[in-house]
Amino acid sequence: MKIGCPTEIKPQEFRVGVTPAAAAEAVAHGHEVIVQSGAGTGAGFEDAVYTAAGARIADSAEAIFAEADMIVKVKEPQAVERGMLREGQILFTYLHLAPDPDQTHDLIASGATCIAYETVTDDRGGLPLLAPMSEVAGKLAPQMGAWTLQKANGGRGVLMGGVPGVLPARVAVIGGGVVGTHAARVAAGMGADVTVLDRSLPRLKALDDMFRGEFKTLYASQSNTAEQVRAADMVVGAVLIPGAAAPKLVSRADLSDMKPGAVLVDVAIDQGGCFETSRATTHQDPVYDVDGIMHYCVANMPGAVARTSTLALGNATLPFMLAIADKGWQQACLDDPNLLNGLNVHAGKLTYFAVGRALGIDV
Ligand code: NAD
């Protein structure tokens, strides 16, 4: 199979869909890999690294879309890319179709077979191609929050780990899933006094079993959450209700009860945010102040560490990419119901029920 990897064209996207290591494995499986010149530069992979891995470099996205049987990307195809997709071609990337009717209609019209990273599942009901980005965002959250806590950056001037004789920062992590667990581990590793709140008792039990004493766990009742937010130097918002907007757990009125210069890191901003005063920000201008409380609300946090994110995503996508290339998408999906769950569009039809329900399109 010919696997094509174009340069990402969405603004501020530095990741790349196929790593040199993945290209080398695909070549070893007898496939041809075509990478657009410069596609890996943002993640630190120059063309020569791909050439050494056995890939071929193409000058343009047009050349790749024209030749490849399967396009492997990171972000959803932009309008110009959708115009280049053709009938029978496979597209393997993040799509996030539910809030995006224009993209959905274009993909249906293209006749391509579109497999979305975000709906591929694993045997435990997890989302293995979303998890690596949650891990990255979770580990980044305390790092960005710690920077924001510094006085010159608008924060309270509190050091995460304290020093001998001075208490560490208090960190409340709301949501103990993938993001929250990784955020808690890093914050605790920096020496902060960390409490993780979740509404799932089984999840809190699992965290308690796994991380004995590394951080505290607390049931996320409204009163417990409000109390932890009031006492915190940093709050990490890491909740997710699948298929729904994030619940608003801190109101504007609550900000006046918080410590001046405290920091809210709203990782759930890509689902609308879990603080009433959150609005999406960018890596260029990540932080703003509301009533003396600093807000960090970058919607694509993994982009800040494009190299790590590319490698983490590449590790997760590789087995699926190889299965599709080795067997063809039909057989690969027949063999693996988890991959089949990724199928969102095929041959002019929407095939994913939740997207159809969200957009009012027959599936
Ligand atoms: P997850 O499903 O692994 O965890 C979410 C947790 O939130 C669950 O344990 C759930 O029980 C808990 N929860 C739900 N409602 C709650 C409430 N009211 N109070 C306390 N806990 C509650 O999800 P995840 O992978 O950790 O993702 C968390 C959020 O981070 C999602 O919104 C995701 O889209 C977002 N995210 C953002 C970025 C970014 O760049 N900003 C990157 C990755 C993920």
Side-chain angles (χ1 to χ4, degrees), residues 134 137 177-179 198-199 220 238-240 267-268 270-271 298-302:
S134 287
V178 181
V179 168
D198 203 296
R199 291 190 85 87
V239 300
L240 177 67
V267 186
D270 62 339
Q271 302 295 328
V298 173
N300 63 331
M301 292 176 70

Side-chain angles (χ1 to χ4, degrees), residues 28-268:
H29 279 234
H31 305 295
E32 199 177 330
V33 179
I34 315 159
V35 178
Q36 187 177 347
S37 179
T41 305
F45 301 122
E46 298 302 337
D47 290 354
V49 186
Y50 283 101
T51 312
R56 175 155 60 85
I57 302 298
D59 285 340
S60 66
E62 286 80 1
I64 288 178
F65 277 82
E67 210 183 328
D69 304 304
M70 170 163 59
I71 302 289
V72 180
K73 275 175 52 60
V74 178
K75 296 305 279 189
E76 72 280 3
Q78 305 301 290
V80 61
E81 296 172 313
R82 303 197 295 261
M84 292 189 276
L85 279 170
R86 59 185 153 72
E87 202 174 328
Q89 197 165 38
I90 302 164
L91 174 67
F92 189 40
T93 190
Y94 287 121
L95 293 176
H96 295 289
L97 292 181
D100 194 345
D102 289 349
Q103 188 199 170
T104 306
H105 288 296
D106 285 355
L107 293 185
I108 292 170
S110 74
T113 296
C114 306
I115 302 177
Y117 291 164
E118 71 275 5
T119 64
V120 172
T121 50
D122 64 24
D123 290 339
R124 291 170 301 158
L127 301 170
L129 304 189
L130 264 190
M133 296 304 101
S134 287
E135 291 163 3
V136 169
K139 286 200 159 167
L140 256 181
Q143 187 172 315
M144 303 320 294
W147 181 85
T148 309
L149 263 180
Q150 292 175 32
K151 201 71 193 164
N153 302 323
R156 222 169 121 61
V158 168
L159 184 63
M160 288 288 271
V163 290
V166 181
L167 291 174
R170 280 191 65 168
V171 175
V173 178
I174 313 179
V178 181
V179 168
T181 305
H182 284 79
R185 291 192 68 189
V186 167
M190 293 168 102
D193 175 0
V194 183
T195 302
V196 177
L197 299 109
D198 203 296
R199 291 190 85 87
S200 159
L201 284 176
R203 185 64 194 161
L204 291 177
K205 182 172 165 23
L207 289 176
D208 190 61
D209 286 345
M210 276 189 285
F211 300 105
R212 306 182 71 82
E214 206 176 310
F215 46 79
K216 297 165 221 162
T217 61
L218 187 64
Y219 183 69
S221 64
Q222 282 185 0
S223 57
N224 280 344
T225 304
E227 195 180 306
Q228 289 298 316
V229 167
R230 273 199 297 275
D233 298 295
M234 181 195 304
V235 181
V236 177
V239 300
L240 177 67
I241 298 178
K248 302 291 180 224
L249 302 174
V250 178
S251 71
R252 178 155 194 172
D254 294 333
L255 300 188
S256 60
D257 296 331
M258 293 181 68
K259 298 174 183 170
V263 174
L264 298 177
V265 180
D266 199 343
V267 186

